[in-house]
Amino acid sequence: MLKTPIVVVNFKTYPESTGERAVQLAKIIEQVAQDYSASVAVCPQHADIYRVSREVSIPVLAQHVDPLKPGRNTGWVTPASVKAAGAVGTLINHSEHKIPHDQVKQVVDLCRSKELVTIVCTADVEESKGLAAHSPDFIAVEPPELIGTGIPVSKAKPEIVSGSVKAIQEVNSSVQVLCGAGITTGEDVAKAVELGTVGVLVASGIVRAKDQRAAIEDMVRALPK
Ligand code: G3P
């Protein structure tokens, strides 16, 4: 359901990507994706999934879901609800929203039964290896200490990226690998692909950029054709 190579943009809870501004940013990203015939997906907050997915045709993912079926679960977020809101998948286990590994498996299985794509986030090679066994569609390795720093994982800690690619391949070769943390330029993206990934998971480098269009353009241009 997600074409690769890909840039996945996590909107987090930044003001620049909340509410109507989430729609504006998603439209900019959609335009760039069309101009360059590139695959780009966006992850707005739950409250913005519906409004964003109604306005753009690029894939929209949730930032998290809980391993729950519809029913008596006040305040929790089911895979069924994000799908009904227009999401085609979800991030899980982001370093800003960690969950126990057995719950990662439950979410992956539940999402698969609903035909929702799963991007499981990991912090290092060990966690990548462990969670590959749960067969998500993607694993995005993101060392937490580099998140939001502008210091790209693909250059600062290439061994975590290539090590995760290798470890994941050994456990389950159908899991595709992304990396993230500190990615801000096309060069960072090119390096990530060189290390064996099928793309990047990025947030501040686009959301907080002075020129959001230029930032996403630079990254998308670096994706292999
Ligand atoms: O989910 C993406 C993320 O955690 C990386 O954040 O701001 O370093 O691109 P950032």
Side-chain angles (χ1 to χ4, degrees), residues 8 10 12 14 91 94-96 121 142 146-150 180-183 201-206:
V8 181
N10 181 359
K12 301 202 173 181
Y14 289 122
L91 305 178
H94 192 280
S95 67
E96 293 150 13
C121 301
E142 302 196 317
L146 295 179
I147 290 179
T149 62
I183 303 286
L201 175 58
V202 55
S204 53
I206 290 171

